[in-house]
């Protein structure tokens, strides 16, 4: 599953596993085995940078199966949330696509896993907060890296759906966006400040568009002014 060959990894292994899971062809024992192995892979050393992002991507479909046809216990689901958020918070390899080796897309693949977890009605408020904290940690990471493989839009998706879940009050979202947009204590380099502005806007702008078009009036009324404020702060 951690092959450096993109055909073996992305086209054969991932596409086959996803097709089987979405067709309901894997029994519960097999799903549990996948969850266990992939969670371990998510936490193991990954010198080439393929194994962990691949594990996160497949775990997104493992989580999707549980969302549609629950098979995890509350404890197992909490363990999955913990492993997933730990992984997202710890991503430091920001490589994306390579013509020869394919994708190492850790942040985006972790965001896909966050999306499937955020859609699961069995998650608790505390788990929602755990997901949001992990996302906030990677929206504008320290340093001078500019996201340019759609990471902001991928991170945006779980935020959008969590804001529809009603587990958090508007005041909670107010505080979350204020922390997200607040200037860091250290001014850093000019390049770092430009990267932060770019990366914040890469999430806030598509989220604003999606919230503006939402048919959920409460979601729209709460988040639109908060997003406008955050966008203004990010541009300063």
């Amino acid at each position: 599953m951690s092959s450096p060959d993109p055909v073996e990894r992305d086209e054969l292994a991932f596409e086959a596993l996803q097709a089987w899971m979405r067709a309901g062809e894997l029994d519960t024992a097999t799903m549990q085995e996948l969850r266990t192995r992939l969670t371990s892979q998510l936490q193991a050393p990954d010198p080439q940078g393929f194994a962990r992002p691949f594990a996160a991507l497949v775990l997104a479909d493992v989580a999707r199966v549980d969302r549609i046809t629950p098979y995890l216990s509350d404890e197992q689901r909490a363990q999955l949330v913990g492993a997933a958020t730990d992984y997202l918070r710890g991503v430091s390899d920001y490589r994306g696509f390579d013509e020869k080796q394919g994708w190492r897309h850790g942040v985006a693949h972790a965001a896909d896993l966050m999306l499937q977890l955020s859609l699961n009605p069995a998650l608790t408020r505390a788990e929602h907060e755990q997901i949001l904290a992990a996302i906030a940690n990677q929206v504008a990471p320290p340093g001078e890296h500019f996201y340019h493989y759609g990471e902001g839009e991928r991170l945006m998706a779980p935020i959008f759906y969590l804001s529809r879940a009603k587990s958090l009050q508007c005041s909670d979202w107010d505080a979350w966006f204020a922390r997200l947009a607040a200037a860091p204590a250290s001014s850093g380099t000019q390049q770092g400040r430009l990267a932060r502005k770019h990366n914040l806007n890469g999430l806030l702008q598509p989220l604003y568009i999606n919230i503006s078009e939402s048919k959920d009036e409460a979601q729209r009324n709460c988040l639109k002014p908060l997003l406008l404020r955050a966008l203004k702060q990010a541009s300063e």
Side-chain angles (χ1 to χ4, degrees):
M1 290 186 184
S2 58
S3 170
D5 185 331
V7 174
E8 290 181 4
R9 184 183 67 251
D10 302 331
E11 296 182 22
L12 297 178
F14 171 68
E15 290 184 10
L17 285 168
Q18 184 183 64
W20 292 333
M21 283 188 276
R22 296 201 173 196
E25 295 179 2
L26 303 183
D27 61 21
T28 299
T30 304
M31 292 301 305
Q32 291 282 21
E33 180 66 18
L34 265 177
R35 176 185 64 84
T36 301
R37 289 192 179 192
L38 291 167
T39 300
S40 296
Q41 186 171 314
L42 203 62
Q43 301 165 329
D46 184 18
Q48 296 189 77
F50 296 112
R52 289 176 178 172
F54 179 89
L57 187 62
V58 181
L59 276 169
D61 268 277
V62 170
R64 180 181 181 273
V65 173
D66 179 59
R67 171 172 65 84
I68 295 169
T69 307
Y71 66 94
L72 297 178
S73 67
D74 290 343
E75 182 180 1
Q76 290 170 338
R77 197 172 292 114
Q79 289 170 350
L80 179 57
V81 171
T85 53
D86 284 349
Y87 170 65
L88 177 56
R89 291 175 68 93
V91 171
S92 59
D93 183 346
Y94 296 108
R95 285 176 291 183
F97 183 72
D98 179 274
E99 288 289 349
K100 294 182 178 179
Q101 297 181 316
W103 287 99
R104 292 178 180 88
H105 213 191
V107 169
H109 291 175
D112 293 347
L113 177 50
M114 297 299 113
L115 172 60
Q116 291 301 329
L117 291 169
S118 71
L119 288 166
N120 193 324
L123 262 63
T124 65
R125 174 190 167 106
E127 288 165 337
H128 288 173
E129 290 175 333
Q130 199 174 347
I131 290 170
L132 285 170
I135 292 171
N137 198 63
Q138 289 291 2
V139 169
E144 300 180 353
H145 178 75
F146 287 73
Y147 286 141
H148 53 280
Y149 291 109
E151 291 90 343
E153 292 185 14
R154 302 277 274 276
L155 288 166
M156 173 274 298
I159 299 171
F160 177 85
Y161 286 104
L162 285 175
S163 69
R164 299 180 71 170
K166 312 306 181 194
S167 60
L168 300 176
Q169 302 300 313
C170 195
S171 57
D172 298 315
W173 287 107
D174 187 356
W176 190 80
F177 280 109
R179 289 193 299 270
L180 185 71
S186 173
S187 59
T189 65
Q190 177 66 13
Q191 188 78 343
R193 290 191 291 273
L194 290 170
R196 179 178 180 276
K197 178 180 178 180
H198 168 87
N199 294 335
L200 275 173
N201 283 328
L203 177 134
L204 294 172
Q205 290 174 356
L207 182 56
Y208 180 79
I209 292 170
N210 279 270
I211 291 296
S212 297
E213 296 178 350
S214 172
K215 299 186 185 304
D216 186 323
E217 185 177 3
Q219 180 192 37
R220 195 171 61 247
N221 289 343
C222 170
L223 264 67
K224 275 189 72 173
L226 304 181
L227 283 163
L228 283 171
R229 182 190 67 192
L231 283 162
K232 182 179 179 181
Q233 285 181 266
S235 67
E236 292 175 349

